[in-house]
Amino acid sequence: MTTENSEETLPIREISRLTGVNSVTLRAWERRYGLIKPLRTHKGHRLYRKEDVELIKKIQAWLARGLAIGKISELLDPNQFSYELNVENVWQSYLDELLSLMSDLNLGKLDAWFNQLFSVYPADIIADQLIAPTLEHFEQGVYGNATKKSILVNRVSEYLLMLTQRQRQGAKRERVAIIQLTAETNPLLNIMLHYGLTTSQFKSELLGVSTTNEMLFAVNQLGLNGIVIYNNSCSSLGDFQKELQLFSQKIAKPIIVAGSVAAALHSDYPSHVSILRTGGLQTVFATLNHIFPADRKDGEVNL
């Protein structure tokens, strides 16, 4: 079906900005699974309607619940769709498959497997449902786990940084820095967050471990609009809390604190600091999209 914009429509880049689902995945959902049926211009460019945005968000919700992508078309049938349906968690199958690939260290197959996975599922869902539990599994003191973890972290990081570079040129939203206040034993989830934010067209900067003084410099020189502190570990919770208190006093930009360390924080912080004590990358994305709505007017910030 073609159109010359007879109704309010948006191109695929804008849909990625509104939903956080990259264009490769949106095309896969259309071509392989028939989940989305965008309009087309006479030149063949895809145009999406408001109902397509709502449909994409519904698909994301089902994927987060563990439904296999190939099953979603059945549930989008209005005669079958039900939020009460008992969903078999496909992510357990993916976890078993990944652990098997890592056990054999079949790196060629591993690269192809992740390429397929990232073409179908958004990064935040992969991070929460697959990568985080896999990294936790490799924390067990079992022979070979340290090597497996290093390979997993390095291969996925290389892949995501390559994808991020491709996405970066189209970023038009606010500039957000991702940091840790203390050394993070595993930066892979930060890299996945970086990739996901770039897909959502945030100007994302991955800065690693940083101090309050360094971030004051970064805020001024880079024109940062917000900061995500993502730590899954720290050497001293007391030191972490002291640094965060100083950080929140000196920097008035919106600050999101997430990761496992956030769950242990109990001090009071200023209103511009959001402590995400539960949830993973999906919660970070939701919070950022609340603070900086994709369709907001310039200058609007929701705290």
Side-chain angles (χ1 to χ4, degrees), residues 215-272:
M215 284 311 300
L216 283 170
F217 173 81
V219 167
N220 292 328
Q221 295 299 313
L222 295 176
L224 295 178
N225 304 105
I227 299 162
V228 178
I229 301 171
Y230 198 97
N231 268 86
N232 271 334
S233 64
C234 65
S235 56
S236 168
L237 183 61
D239 290 344
F240 185 96
Q241 292 189 117
K242 288 179 183 178
E243 184 66 22
L244 181 57
Q245 286 284 7
L246 178 63
F247 198 92
S248 62
Q249 292 167 8
K250 296 286 187 179
I251 299 176
K253 300 293 182 180
I255 299 168
I256 295 173
V257 185
S260 300
V261 174
L265 299 177
H266 299 293
S267 301
D268 293 328
Y269 296 94
S271 60
H272 66 283

Side-chain angles (χ1 to χ4, degrees), residues 111-124:
D111 290 342
W113 189 80
F114 269 116
N115 186 57
Q116 169 69 14
L117 197 71
F118 276 98
S119 72
V120 175
Y121 294 99
D124 55 334

Side-chain angles (χ1 to χ4, degrees), residues 62 65 67 71 74-75 80-88:
W62 276 108
R65 287 187 60 185
L67 186 68
K71 297 286 187 179
E74 302 172 16
L75 296 175
Q80 300 182 49
F81 188 82
S82 171
Y83 281 102
E84 301 303 321
L85 186 67
N86 184 22
V87 178
E88 181 181 355

Side-chain angles (χ1 to χ4, degrees), residues 39-40 98 210:
L39 302 173
R40 298 275 186 157
L98 177 55
S210 190

